[in-house]
Amino acid sequence: MLKTLLSGDNPRSKVLSLVLLAVVISLALAPFLFPGTKSLETAARICIFIVLVASYDLLLGYAGIVSFAHTMFFGIGAYGTALALSATGPTFLSILWGTGAGVVIAAAFALAIGLFSLRVKAIFFAMVTLAVASAFAIAVSQASWLTGGEDGLNYRIPRELTPAFKLLPDKVFGVRINGKLLNYYLVFFSSAILFIVMLRIVNSPFGRTLQAVRDNAFRAEAIGYRVIWYRTTATVLSAVMAALAGSLLAIWLRYTGPATTLSMEIMIDILLMVVIGGMGTMYGAILGATIFILAQTYLQNLMGVAADATSFVPFISHLVEPERWLLWLGVLFILSVYFFPSGIVGRLREMKS
Amino acid sequence: MSDTTIKPRIEKAPVLERITTALPIALVPVLAVLGFVAIGDPAAWLTLTVAGLAMGLMIFIMASGLTVVFGLMDVINFGHGAFISVGAFVGFSILIWLGGWTASSSVFLNLAAVFLAILVSMVATGLMGYAFERVIVMPVYGQHLKQILVTMGGLIVAQQLIHVFWGPDEIHVARPESLRGSIVIGEAAIEKYRLVAVGIGVALFLAMRHVLKSTKIGLLVRAGVENGEMVEALGYRIRRLFLIVFMVGSALAGLGGVMWGLYQETITAHMGSEIMVLVFIVVIIGGLGSVEGCFIGALLVGLLSNYTAFLAPKVALVSTIALMVIILMWRPQGLYPVVKAK
Amino acid sequence: MKEPLLTLSGVHTHIGPYHILQGVDLVVPKGGVSVLLGRNGAGKTTTLRTIMGLWQASEGTILFEGQDITKLPTPEISRAGIAFVPEDMGIFTDLTVAENMTLAAARGPLDPDRLEWIKTLFPPIRTFWESSAGTLSGGQKQMLSVARAIIEPRKLILIDEPTKGLAPAIIKAMSDALLELKETDTTILLVEQNFSMASAVGDTVSVMDDGHIVHAGEMAELAGDARMQERLMGLSLEAHQ
């Protein structure tokens, strides 16, 4: 059963399986294992980013395409849902049509950009997406009449998904069974389903052709595959998945703004997560997102301690300041690309053999 | 694998070719005229046009290195923005250090301070370019995907190092005394600094043109962009040529950074990656690898940004994207596609 | 047999997944013109590019004047005294004829006497000296490409199908030029499909097929032996326009 669920693409490493299992169980039971608002926020963020990073891996790892517009699609999904909830009230129907609209718009954008610039060179696509995504982010932050500008949108979500909605009168294992919990499980199960769907996509004939195209576009073309079609489809699929992740974020946070969805910082984060986790492995998204977000949330405290401890060494203490954690991730990122392009997942798999 | 790698060559009539080559150059005055019609007010138009040219020339300075580096070795440096930021910060430090000169009312001392700041930051970014090429770029020649990722990683690290050295906050940069304020021509007020920027930009463009047209190294660069293999077969080490070009391109980005910092009067570690959006648009519009195309693209983007900023402030960046899309629909490879024999 | 200038022994070259040269043994004697014949896809161009270092031999050795140049980078091979006229001519179309020639003189300024000799050999070089090389006709580009290769004294010139797609008058001019070049102490390794041209200028001949050398000998012998020609004809000599 599990094998079918994973589309026959097993983790292929004992350590990796154990780590993945630990992550999945922790996320599944997060409300009970790690009570508290902050840890639940972190767990939900990890779920959403797993989908977002996996969808980026679909493009980068499996199709070999570098896009800097992934946050744009993420943002389109989030804003679609957010605007629908603001416009037609906090109902599930609003979520449905908002998400649907977001997905359609994201797909249309991806199709246009893909057809427009995938013909030429990988580098060209990267540059075009960077420019378009930046322009989009600025346009959104300036269209304040619609999007709330830099401040973003606050809105209500269906009452069943808020803490005000009580499912059971009593606590279970010391945890309130309320709408917030439902909301978390909505995020968790949606993410799980989306991840499994993506796993299925990359292991389908389509996914395998995609990798053949990535490895040798010239040859794939010669055999008769229409390279541009495969690349564009991958772009569209990945955009749709990113938009769905965006919708989840919009529902979970009850807030959507440029800084949480569209910013270049998030794009960089995704890039770091996918490369450090392992490109072209899907499971790398789970590890990358989990490690990165845990580090982002908790490592900074640790570095704060290190900075205090070294405060008598002027330069070093600057290097280990909590704000400088991105410096070290950047170095790790470069080393990953050089020395272990298949990331942590790749390392773990090699350890086995 | 066939022995016949020769591609059919279509010989165009020279006259027609000359017209189509000249066409993109005409876009700049056309845009200026359109701007004049749309704005209506000659004084405002003059102010905006000078501002647009200044901006365009600064972008050209930053973009030229990037496009030549691509043309020569098929390398796009996504970390190019790091040189812009570092250049700005180094220049700023020098200007602070020469505070006595910049605060003085002597035009000579003011310009000397700016000149020194530019010189030091160009040396610094040139050396940084050397290190970047050896450590970051060289191991991933010919692998586009890794190239994009690794240079992006280099950008992240460089930005963080700026935070380490200069602190995380944005810094205000004061222009030297004599570069503040405006001069009035008719009813149009034109910032002095913009005129200086235009002067430096034009001088640099002419110098670059001279180097590319009349020196052996310039010939090698142009030949290498067209057919690097043949340059090697003639006995030149193209890797070394590339390293030189990479360093010069980095130094130019540093120069652009100083100029941009003085133009905006604030500098941040992220300024480079923000400007890179415009730089990429310019490079794409011009045609990857083409210096002339880059120059025209930069002027178009500079003018258009300033006109739209005046006419409809909210669509400034979107308008440059629209310009890019229109130009790519007309010429899918940019204004001057570089013929690649590779 | 004269002493060898260039010797390939057991050279293999792979391009991506393709195994093109499968153990090429080729000797180019010092002086004169050696012709390399073979049908399309036999590996002639790959042989030249491997000698030039533009593609790396995966196995085997290439000796030039007794020096092993197998692993040398292309610029070093060029500096050792080998010039290359590629099939696509490799003209820098963005540069003028004069600039193309200036770059070709990699070791110093243009030698005026030699340039004068070249301009007499190829009159279009003189006529179009200041023109952009991109505006030249195919034949003129071919002349420029050969001119670039001989602007400095070289020991060996590799020329890949200089007559391909050219009009008979230009082929004649090219063949005259090669005959004149023979009088200098330059050795030429010529890849050619046009047998009448090849037999007119060639001293020795090697025939390639499927990544191997299948015949090597004197050109006069092959030109005079109709049966041998016929045997090799199917391999090497396609109907040439």
Side-chain angles (χ1 to χ4, degrees):
Chain A
M1 206 274 285
L2 188 66
K3 194 165 175 167
T4 326
L5 206 61
L6 300 181
S7 313
D9 184 5
N10 296 330
R12 298 204 304 277
S13 150
K14 212 169 265 173
V15 186
L16 178 59
S17 308
L18 287 176
V19 174
L20 287 173
L21 203 65
V23 171
V24 172
I25 291 176
S26 305
L27 288 175
L29 302 176
F32 303 97
L33 290 175
F34 317 102
T37 321
K38 189 177 176 186
S39 44
L40 197 63
E41 290 296 331
T42 310
R45 222 176 124 71
I46 291 175
C47 291
I48 292 166
F49 268 79
I50 286 174
V51 176
L52 185 61
V53 174
S55 65
Y56 193 63
D57 192 25
L58 181 66
L59 198 61
L60 180 68
Y62 287 86
I65 298 170
V66 185
S67 158
F68 288 104
H70 210 59
T71 46
M72 178 170 90
F73 301 125
F74 185 52
I76 289 175
Y79 273 97
T81 308
L83 287 170
L85 283 166
S86 315
T88 55
T91 63
F92 284 100
L93 192 68
S94 305
I95 290 182
L96 209 63
W97 81 258
T99 305
V103 164
V104 169
I105 294 170
F109 260 66
L111 186 69
I113 298 178
L115 287 179
F116 192 64
S117 46
L118 277 173
R119 293 176 185 283
V120 202
K121 284 190 158 192
I123 272 179
F124 197 79
F125 186 75
M127 291 163 76
V128 168
T129 50
L130 185 78
V132 169
S134 307
F136 186 81
I138 289 177
V140 165
S141 62
Q142 283 180 341
S144 40
W145 54 274
L146 181 68
T147 61
E150 289 290 347
D151 296 332
L153 295 166
N154 283 292
Y155 41 86
R156 291 188 300 133
I157 56 173
R159 188 171 171 277
E160 291 78 3
L161 297 177
T162 63
F165 178 72
K166 300 265 187 295
L167 221 63
L168 292 176
D170 300 314
K171 291 184 176 181
V172 176
F173 300 117
V175 178
R176 273 194 209 8
I177 307 301
N178 59 13
K180 185 83 182 172
L181 195 76
L182 275 186
N183 197 347
Y184 177 76
Y185 281 106
L186 172 75
V187 169
F188 176 80
F189 283 111
S190 308
S191 303
I193 292 169
L194 290 176
F195 185 83
I196 288 166
V197 168
M198 281 188 275
L199 206 54
R200 176 128 304 181
I201 291 174
V202 299
N203 286 294
S204 68
F206 169 78
R208 301 203 184 284
T209 314
L210 209 54
Q211 292 169 63
V213 168
R214 172 198 66 190
D215 295 336
N216 194 342
F218 180 73
R219 199 169 181 191
E221 187 95 62
I223 297 171
Y225 290 119
R226 289 173 59 204
V227 167
I228 177 97
W229 185 88
Y230 278 92
R231 287 186 172 156
T232 308
T233 309
T235 311
V236 171
L237 279 174
S238 132
V240 165
M241 289 293 166
L244 289 171
S247 299
L248 288 177
L249 185 80
I251 298 166
W252 173 254
L253 284 183
R254 286 184 277 172
Y255 163 80
T256 295
T260 52
T261 55
L262 293 169
S263 72
M264 201 60 207
E265 279 76 38
I266 295 188
M267 190 61 240
I268 300 279
D269 290 353
I270 298 174
L271 210 56
L272 290 167
M273 288 183 227
V274 85
V275 169
I276 292 172
M279 282 184 277
T281 62
M282 276 295 144
Y283 294 111
I286 298 183
L287 293 190
T290 308
I291 294 170
F292 186 93
I293 289 168
L294 286 180
Q296 199 173 36
T297 323
Y298 300 104
L299 178 77
Q300 298 199 27
N301 303 339
L302 208 70
M303 287 183 73
V305 176
D308 288 339
T310 54
S311 56
F312 53 90
V313 198
F315 185 69
I316 300 292
S317 70
H318 280 303
L319 286 176
V320 293
E321 265 173 15
E323 291 79 23
R324 292 292 79 75
W325 74 297
L326 207 55
L327 172 67
W328 299 106
L329 272 183
V331 173
L332 181 64
F333 173 84
I334 295 174
L335 295 177
S336 301
V337 176
Y338 283 159
F339 300 113
F340 44 108
S342 48
I344 299 175
V345 169
R347 290 311 279 182
L348 291 176
R349 282 179 180 169
E350 276 167 31
M351 265 168 54
K352 189 196 75 172
S353 54
Chain B
M1 197 75 203
S2 155
D3 263 349
T4 45
T5 47
I6 195 160
K7 292 180 194 98
R9 204 177 275 274
I10 300 159
E11 306 278 353
K12 280 185 210 158
V15 181
L16 188 71
E17 196 176 340
R18 226 167 285 160
I19 292 174
T20 48
T21 321
L23 216 52
I25 300 169
L27 287 176
V28 178
V30 166
L31 182 63
V33 170
L34 285 178
F36 187 79
V37 173
I39 292 161
D41 172 6
W45 175 80
L46 186 60
T47 307
L48 291 170
T49 303
V50 173
L53 291 178
M55 179 175 163
L57 285 163
M58 282 188 277
I59 296 174
F60 167 70
I61 292 171
M62 297 184 254
S64 53
L66 189 78
T67 202
V68 177
V69 158
F70 175 82
L72 207 52
M73 289 300 269
D74 212 15
V75 166
I76 272 281
N77 178 10
F78 275 78
H80 196 69
F83 302 114
I84 298 173
S85 301
V86 169
F89 276 86
V90 171
F92 156 79
S93 294
I94 299 297
L95 286 176
I96 291 288
W97 185 60
L98 297 174
W101 294 14
T102 55
S104 129
S105 55
S106 148
V107 179
F108 174 75
L109 278 181
N110 287 173
L111 289 180
V114 171
F115 177 76
L116 259 178
I118 285 176
L119 195 72
V120 174
S121 65
M122 284 181 79
V123 170
T125 47
L127 291 175
M128 186 179 151
Y130 178 83
F132 209 86
E133 202 274 343
R134 295 281 110 168
V135 179
I136 307 265
V137 182
M138 198 170 66
V140 288
Y141 272 135
Q143 300 165 275
H144 280 164
L145 188 95
K146 286 192 170 184
Q147 223 172 64
I148 298 173
L149 296 178
V150 149
T151 52
M152 205 72 199
L155 175 69
I156 298 171
V157 172
Q159 280 178 351
Q160 292 297 314
L161 285 176
I162 290 178
H163 286 315
V164 171
F165 284 108
W166 283 280
D169 304 318
E170 71 170 38
I171 293 177
H172 176 75
V173 181
R175 288 179 197 161
E177 272 304 314
S178 53
L179 297 183
R180 293 178 197 166
S182 310
I183 55 169
V184 180
I185 302 174
E187 287 172 30
I190 295 171
E191 277 187 42
K192 287 182 201 166
Y193 178 71
R194 285 179 181 162
L195 289 177
V196 174
V198 169
I200 296 178
V202 169
L204 205 84
F205 174 68
L206 293 177
M208 203 181 287
R209 227 179 116 86
H210 172 76
V211 168
L212 284 174
K213 297 267 179 215
S214 317
T215 67
K216 190 144 182 178
I217 199 157
L219 290 185
L220 274 176
V221 169
R222 282 161 60 211
V225 166
E226 189 178 340
N227 189 343
E229 218 168 52
M230 199 59 220
V231 168
E232 292 222 286
L234 290 177
Y236 300 95
R237 297 180 186 92
I238 203 163
R239 281 288 175 84
R240 201 155 72 183
L241 179 69
F242 175 70
L243 179 61
I244 295 170
V245 170
F246 197 93
M247 288 174 69
V248 171
S250 307
L252 286 176
L255 162 64
V258 178
M259 291 175 66
W260 193 266
L262 284 167
Y263 175 65
Q264 297 285 341
E265 297 184 278
T266 50
I267 55 174
T268 67
H270 289 96
M271 63 183 278
S273 46
E274 282 156 19
I275 305 166
M276 278 311 281
V277 175
L278 287 177
V279 168
F280 280 146
I281 293 175
V282 161
V283 169
I284 292 173
I285 287 178
L288 291 167
S290 160
V291 174
E292 291 95 336
C294 174
F295 182 69
I296 295 170
L299 292 185
L300 290 177
V301 164
L303 288 175
L304 185 67
S305 301
N306 278 277
Y307 293 156
T308 47
F310 176 80
L311 294 166
K314 295 199 167 175
V315 299
L317 185 56
V318 180
S319 72
T320 56
I321 297 273
L323 176 72
M324 177 179 85
V325 170
I326 292 168
I327 289 194
L328 288 183
M329 294 210 288
W330 175 39
R331 293 193 169 177
Q333 308 259 19
L335 292 176
Y336 291 107
V338 170
V339 198
K340 266 270 175 221
K342 289 180 194 173
Chain C
M1 185 108 186
K2 284 177 279 184
E3 67 172 298
L5 178 68
L6 180 83
T7 315
L8 278 73
S9 352
V11 170
H12 290 253
T13 302
H14 293 260
I15 302 167
Y18 307 102
H19 190 177
I20 311 284
L21 299 191
Q22 307 177 4
V24 169
D25 298 297
L26 175 70
V27 177
V28 177
K30 203 171 178 127
V33 176
S34 294
V35 179
L36 192 55
L37 293 171
R39 60 179 174 80
N40 276 335
K44 307 182 300 290
T45 296
T46 307
T47 305
L48 294 195
R49 290 180 58 92
T50 306
I51 297 169
M52 209 57 216
L54 294 165
W55 280 330
Q56 271 298 319
S58 49
E59 238 180 276
T61 50
I62 305 171
L63 294 182
F64 180 63
E65 291 191 307
Q67 186 201 353
D68 187 349
I69 60 165
T70 321
K71 300 272 181 247
L72 285 187
T74 303
E76 304 299 324
I77 293 172
S78 162
R79 279 157 191 265
I82 305 183
F84 181 41
V85 180
E87 195 177 20
D88 67 359
M89 300 173 277
I91 297 298
F92 306 122
T93 55
D94 194 32
L95 274 55
T96 63
V97 171
E99 288 169 337
N100 268 279
M101 294 300 285
T102 309
L103 279 189
R107 267 162 288 185
L110 288 166
D111 173 356
D113 294 339
R114 210 173 162 88
L115 185 60
E116 198 45 46
W117 170 62
I118 288 173
K119 282 177 174 173
T120 322
L121 213 53
F122 301 118
I125 303 288
R126 191 193 307 278
T127 322
F128 297 104
W129 185 246
E130 290 296 339
S131 313
S132 159
T135 60
L136 298 181
S137 74
Q140 291 161 347
K141 279 184 183 145
Q142 193 58 262
M143 290 180 191
L144 174 58
S145 191
V146 175
R148 277 194 323 195
I150 57 175
I151 185 65
E152 285 179 341
R154 315 274 187 187
K155 293 166 188 152
L156 174 65
I157 305 178
L158 315 175
I159 308 181
D160 199 350
E161 292 206 48
T163 60
K164 188 170 192 169
L166 298 188
I170 301 175
I171 294 182
K172 176 79 174 57
M174 187 65 70
S175 128
D176 289 348
L178 291 186
L179 285 172
E180 186 163 342
L181 255 182
K182 261 172 80 166
E183 302 308 312
T184 66
D185 52 0
T186 304
T187 307
I188 297 171
L189 175 57
L190 175 71
V191 164
E192 189 51 73
Q193 301 228 20
N194 181 332
F195 189 67
S196 61
M197 155 101 174
S199 56
V201 300
D203 299 311
T204 61
V205 61
S206 303
V207 182
M208 279 195 93
D209 195 42
D210 272 343
H212 303 273
I213 301 285
V214 293
H215 168 85
E218 298 294 314
M219 180 55 100
E221 188 192 349
L222 180 63
D225 186 341
R227 281 180 60 196
M228 192 197 284
Q229 270 182 47
E230 201 170 310
R231 182 164 63 81
L232 295 168
M233 192 77 84
L235 297 177
S236 66
L237 306 168
E238 297 176 336
H240 206 80
Q241 64 277 15

